[in-house]
Amino acid sequence: MFRNYLKIAWRNLAKHKLFSFINIGGLAVGMAVSFMLLLYVYNEFTFDKQNEKGDRIYMLFRNQPSESEIQTSNSMPVQVAGAIKKDFPEIEKAARTNYPNDNLVNYNGKTLKVKMLSADPELLDIFTYQFVKGNKQKVFDDVASVILTESGAKSIFGNDEAMGKTFKLNKNRMVKVTGIIKDIPENASLRFNMLGSWKLLEAEQEWVKNSGWGNYSFKTYALVKPGADIKKLNAKMSGLIAKNDVYNKENKLFLFPFERIHLYAKFENGVNTGGDIEYIRLFMFLAIGILLIACINFMNLSTARSENRAREVGVRKVVGARRISLIKQFMGESLLMAVISFVFALVIITLLLPYFNGIIQKNLTVPYNAPNFWVVGLGITVITGIIAGSYPALFLSAFKPVRVLKGFIKDGKTSLRPRQVLVIIQFAFATCLILSTILIYNQINYIKNRPAGYDKDGLVELSQEGTLYEKFEEFRRDAIASRAIIEGSATSGTITTDGSSSWGVKWPGQLPGEDKIPIDQLVTTYHFTKTFGVKILKGRDFDRANPSDSLAIMMNESAVKMMRLKEPLGQIINWQGQPRTVVAVIKDFIWGAPGAPIKPLIVGYMKEWNGTATMRLNPALSVSSSLAKLEAVYKTYNPEYPFEYKFVDERYNDKFRTEQLLGTLANSFTILAIVISCLGLFGLASFSAEQRRKEIGIRKVLGASIGSLWFNLSKEFIQLVLIAFFIGAAFSWYFMNEWLSNYTYHTQISVWVFIITILISLAVTITTVSWQAIKAAVTNPVKSLRSE
């Protein structure tokens, strides 16, 4: 019997090739896109899950009261790791790390940059690293030892043996390779190609060894003992920083699960409120929604051919077939089509995955060798086949043999109603996507067009390393003389990302407790405003002609407002432990998130902190010509270092990466949802025309025009789309309003967005339905009435 059903199913597919292609193709595309989204979701849910003791790994965070809220950060003083190991027996291991950064490596005259992390040896006991060579327990016995990943070893030594080899690190120290580990997975947050000991970092950078409790420049990881009560432990360690840092008595320390950081890193007023998990849930919703509308499309197209299968059902029932056997047959056909769609979906995934990876900036692969992939994939396929085939199977198997063999199937209005509901669901989903896409792009453009407060075009950043640290002014003068640049400035960090703040700042008229407020800080020397194009509202930039400027600061408008300084110029502000004179008030510029309020900022003079050199390229030359001249000057100062630079405007645009990713995906899925919905609408229009062919014939005999017949057939679908629009618009308005509320500066949901959406929906509907409506309207009425 099964073999017979299979033959019938295959013959039906072969007989109606166009229908089969549209039906299988629509389902395959829906499945392919859903599977790619689920691959991404799986990758995100397995982020940082590679560690054997992952459920016991925690990262140290702290809550610090600010001007009007509690700020949460994972930056720690260097002493915290040792203190928690000593004071709290629940802590099994603790390790300090710096922030991974590029270090210069020189081997046999070959120089390159390698991403290096410095950490306590306990890090190897906390996290799981697979050693290919070397002894984990002895790998850091010598201070001048490093561990390389396999790719890190290959980048330095090529195909030569790396174990035991030595190379020069940062021009001044020979280090030995004492361990090789497998590459860190891409879905791990703590990634590096070279790992050095904490003692090596202290030997390289003296300030680290002398760092006090007030320097929050490091990270701390902890491995708790099995069965530890984290809630009680957090309560005990809460006041650890307050005991040791006089300026941060209100800092509250706490442990946060390391495995949750990637998706739940958002804190508001000291409380964890989610994070990227919100986008993952959105992608899951998209995956399920697209698969659902593909199933609905399958249902509508299958039932649109009801008349072609009606006599088959009637004959089978007359010869004794029960309804359950017919349901099994039609469900079997649906499952067969679902399996074929699954095969085509795998082909589509193979073709589109590189493009999808480019959008999401990941390197996802289909795990063909993993049994779980096939179990889940085939499981989803079977569920899809059952969902997609359920309604057609129930609908077709319910035909009465006497009626269908006489040519009567069902009352048109009764049989259309379920399909109308399905089309409403499809277009409500499509409406949500259209509205959301428009609003996302509006928000991106809104925050992109918000004035940055400085001229980011034509700026390039260089790492201030090698001789550039001591000889920056000479380098700047030579670069200007070569016509490569017109100005340059050295700062403590990039102007595109906030990353440093200070507390203990004191000013005239300060209220009790305000010295605990963290204030953003950016350190520089000279030429700051001219290089970046920051507008000075009052006063002047730091000037070499004024030696007293070594104890001067500039403040932005927000800082002046927060400190309530009516005449800020000349005021004495205690910053970084010294009295400083305010020499300028600069206009607010965007340093943090573009959609967030601009925070108070102090731009202070301090040569020792500089680490980033920013150059304004000569606008009279092409970018490539300016960079070539700049590289020539750079090589005279740092011949061993590779000339590496970053464009400030590109780094600024990185701020919008999440929104742009969301916009691109929403745009792609909107088009896909519209196409699949149109196929479903096409099926319903075909079914409607088939059900009403005699009515249309009679109307034509009575003199109805093609236009009136077209309108009569199209209006019901326009009504369906209008109903779907109001449902979809309500859902979209609610969820997009919630999303926009995450931004202090955001676009408004205006009426024209809804007008554009309804016009797009109506245009798509009329275009889709018109072909079937006109085809039915121009059909010779004799063909439909000859049996009457």
Side-chain angles (χ1 to χ4, degrees), residues 520-783:
D520 284 356
Q521 61 185 6
L522 183 64
V523 175
T524 185
T525 51
Y526 304 110
H527 331 293
F528 175 79
T529 57
K530 189 175 180 182
T531 299
F532 291 102
V534 173
K535 186 177 180 181
I536 296 177
L537 300 178
K538 294 180 180 179
R540 56 174 178 79
D541 200 344
F542 304 132
D543 192 341
R544 188 179 295 274
N546 292 290
S548 61
D549 281 359
S550 60
L551 290 175
I553 61 170
M554 298 184 284
M555 298 195 304
N556 69 351
E557 297 170 280
S558 296
V560 173
K561 183 179 179 181
M562 185 201 73
M563 296 179 187
R564 303 174 299 278
L565 301 177
K566 294 182 179 180
E567 295 295 335
L569 295 185
Q571 295 281 3
I572 303 299
I573 307 295
N574 193 294
W575 172 73
Q576 288 299 321
Q578 289 184 299
R580 312 270 177 160
T581 304
V582 179
V583 297
V585 176
I586 57 175
K587 189 174 180 61
D588 283 346
F589 62 84
I590 296 174
W591 198 29
I598 295 175
K599 294 185 289 186
L601 170 69
I602 290 176
V603 178
Y605 182 100
M606 196 180 292
K607 183 179 179 181
E608 294 77 14
W609 281 20
N610 291 339
T612 301
T614 306
M615 304 293 165
R616 180 163 296 282
L617 299 179
N618 188 347
L621 303 177
S622 65
V623 172
S624 59
S625 179
S626 293
L627 289 174
K629 290 178 180 293
L630 185 60
E631 180 178 11
V633 177
Y634 180 87
K635 284 297 184 180
T636 63
Y637 285 85
N638 279 340
E640 293 186 28
Y641 285 81
F643 178 65
E644 297 176 342
Y645 57 88
K646 294 178 181 177
F647 288 102
V648 170
D649 57 347
E650 290 180 358
R651 295 198 63 169
Y652 186 85
N653 289 335
D654 285 343
K655 292 173 180 283
F656 314 103
R657 193 177 71 82
T658 300
E659 289 80 7
Q660 286 174 328
L661 168 62
L662 191 61
T664 302
L665 290 176
N667 186 44
S668 302
F669 296 144
T670 297
I671 295 171
L672 178 66
I674 290 173
V675 170
I676 295 177
S677 298
C678 286
L679 290 175
L681 194 63
F682 179 84
L684 185 57
S686 302
F687 183 82
S688 177
E690 180 183 293
Q691 291 284 307
R692 300 176 63 182
R693 67 187 189 283
K694 291 181 181 178
E695 175 196 335
I696 294 169
I698 293 171
R699 287 180 180 274
K700 285 199 73 173
V701 168
L702 295 176
S705 65
I706 292 176
S708 64
L709 291 172
W710 169 84
F711 177 75
N712 193 267
L713 282 170
S714 300
K715 66 180 181 181
E716 61 181 289
F717 298 105
I718 294 174
Q719 291 171 352
L720 294 180
V721 171
L722 287 173
I723 294 171
F725 167 76
F726 287 110
I727 296 172
F731 277 99
S732 183
W733 178 85
Y734 174 78
F735 288 112
M736 291 309 296
N737 209 37
E738 289 290 308
W739 181 70
L740 289 172
S741 67
N742 293 322
Y743 300 88
T744 303
Y745 299 95
H746 59 78
T747 186
Q748 300 299 318
I749 304 178
S750 55
V751 176
W752 71 265
V753 174
F754 295 93
I755 294 174
I756 289 177
T757 302
I758 189 61
L759 289 176
I760 292 173
S761 300
L762 289 175
V764 168
T765 302
I766 293 170
T767 303
T768 304
V769 172
S770 290
W771 189 82
Q772 282 290 352
I774 293 172
K775 178 184 175 183
V778 298
T779 301
N780 191 335
V782 175
K783 291 183 179 180

Side-chain angles (χ1 to χ4, degrees), residues 317-434:
K317 283 196 171 184
V318 167
V319 297
R322 293 189 301 171
R323 186 181 184 190
I324 188 66
S325 65
L326 292 171
I327 290 174
K328 289 179 180 178
Q329 176 193 338
F330 292 126
M331 287 297 292
E333 291 181 13
S334 296
L335 286 171
L336 175 63
M337 295 179 75
V339 170
I340 296 172
S341 298
F342 175 65
V343 174
F344 281 108
L346 292 179
V347 175
I348 295 170
I349 289 172
T350 303
L351 296 174
L352 293 184
L353 197 55
Y355 169 73
F356 184 64
N357 281 334
I359 294 175
I360 63 175
Q361 296 184 5
K362 301 277 185 183
N363 189 26
L364 302 180
T365 56
V366 182
Y368 292 112
N369 297 326
N372 289 342
F373 167 75
W374 294 104
V375 171
V376 173
L378 291 174
I380 293 175
T381 301
V382 171
I383 293 171
T384 301
I386 292 172
I387 293 173
S390 57
Y391 177 65
L394 294 171
F395 174 74
L396 293 171
S397 64
F399 287 157
K400 303 297 182 184
V402 175
R403 290 180 59 83
V404 298
L405 292 176
K406 285 184 176 182
F408 301 106
I409 299 177
K410 272 196 173 186
D411 178 70
K413 291 184 178 179
T414 303
S415 57
L416 268 180
R417 191 168 294 123
R419 289 167 198 70
Q420 291 172 338
V421 173
L422 294 176
V423 167
I424 288 173
I425 293 173
Q426 276 187 313
F427 269 87
F429 184 76
T431 298
C432 274
L433 287 179
I434 294 170

Side-chain angles (χ1 to χ4, degrees), residues 23-126:
N23 220 350
I24 292 173
L27 197 56
V29 170
M31 290 174 71
V33 173
S34 296
F35 285 154
M36 285 193 292
L37 281 170
L38 290 176
L39 271 177
Y40 175 71
V41 169
Y42 175 77
N43 178 76
E44 294 299 292
F45 273 122
T46 57
F47 215 94
D48 286 329
K49 300 294 195 300
Q50 308 87 3
N51 301 290
E52 295 174 1
K53 305 169 186 174
D55 60 329
R56 294 195 287 130
I57 300 176
Y58 289 80
M59 191 174 187
L60 274 291
F61 278 73
R62 59 188 173 86
N63 282 331
Q64 181 173 8
S66 182
E67 181 182 6
S68 57
E69 62 176 356
I70 297 174
Q71 295 182 355
T72 303
S73 172
N74 59 17
S75 59
M76 291 289 143
V78 73
Q79 295 86 355
V80 167
I84 62 173
K85 280 194 296 183
K86 177 185 174 183
D87 297 345
F88 306 105
E90 297 92 338
I91 303 296
E92 184 176 317
K93 300 280 185 181
R96 304 164 289 184
T97 73
N98 65 343
Y99 288 82
N101 54 78
D102 290 337
N103 282 247
L104 184 70
V105 167
N106 187 319
Y107 175 71
N108 284 349
K110 172 187 174 184
T111 59
L112 70 154
K113 294 283 191 68
V114 178
K115 190 175 185 180
M116 180 177 179
L117 177 74
S118 297
D120 286 314
E122 285 84 352
L123 190 80
L124 301 176
D125 297 317
I126 297 173

Side-chain angles (χ1 to χ4, degrees), residues 129-140 146-147 161 163-164 177-181:
Y129 298 110
Q130 299 181 40
F131 273 77
V132 178
K133 294 179 181 179
N135 186 330
K136 183 175 77 169
Q137 305 304 326
K138 299 181 179 180
V139 72
F140 286 138
V146 295
I147 300 171
E161 174 60 54
M163 190 65 179
V177 180
T178 55
I180 305 289
I181 60 174

